[in-house]
Amino acid sequence: MILIDGKKEAANLREELRKEVSSLKTKYNKVPGLTVILIGDLTPSQIYVRNKEKSAKEVGLKSEVIKYPDSVEEITILKKIYELNKDDTVSGILVQLPLPKHINKKKVIEAIIPEKDVDGFHPMNVGNLSSGYKSSVPCTPLGCYLLIKKVEPNLSGKKAVVIGRSNLNGKPMTQLLLKENCTVTITHSKTKDLKGECLKGDIVVAAVGIPELVRGDWIKKDSIVIDVGINKTEKGIVGDVAFDEVSKIAKAITPVPGGVGPMTIACLLKNTIECFKRLQS
Ligand code: GUN
């Protein structure tokens, strides 16, 4: 069994990115900049944002976090985004989700110019990804994709099962796997015989937010299992996959924590650098 070490892969990717930032600095006499907008005081969001900032600095990016209280008005956020859109020192803008209820997520996402949309959430980037054109790709599925490719470089013809249909994970994951010529089945919490569907997968990506949903007898031998879940339970943080059971069957599996999570942040840095390069050309 291969335990896919997301921490190690993310460290390798960060090292590559650090070198790239250094050569971009020589070439353009400036470095890519990432600006994160954080609204409210949700603890998980604060932890994510702190990790993003730390990693960005580590690879040599210019990094800035702008914080607002929960009560901030939508127009204040939109005006800040318009300002950042025009700021030449900012290559990537990320508004940390979830947002307070009184702020319209769609409006906020669409306010960021697609060229600086490091999350790949803007409809222009979503459309470009689904049409197979160049686009920003959401960080979590991009991280999953890179981990899968490490284990199995040739995915052509493989059967992939994606559990979860969110805009953040399931849908973009599907597009990335399709681009690799996988036969992709998108499943979700309402799918009938989810176990039967999973059993067909050479690759199973679980991104549904149900603790330890995927059991040992849901997975066929030699499959690659990617666990996107981060669920708080009485026994601590667990994924969407019952790790102890599935790791006895699968060819390769990501742990939680230490699997997809570290790659997500490394991919955000990668996307920021990609945005910078596209903005220069
Ligand atoms: N909150 C949880 N994951 C994400 C993400 O990938 N991007 C943003 N903007 N917010 C998040």
Side-chain angles (χ1 to χ4, degrees), residues 228-255:
V228 180
I230 301 176
N231 307 294
K232 252 192 191 160
T233 67
E234 282 166 7
K235 64 173 187 178
I237 302 282
V238 300
D240 294 348
V241 176
F243 182 87
D244 291 347
E245 293 178 17
V246 174
S247 58
K248 292 193 181 93
I249 313 286
K251 175 170 85 178
I253 184 170
T254 59

Side-chain angles (χ1 to χ4, degrees), residues 48 52 94-98 119 121 140 168:
Y48 286 136
K52 284 170 187 174
L94 180 146
V95 180
Q96 183 67 26
L97 303 176
D119 264 325
F121 293 166
T140 302
L168 252 79

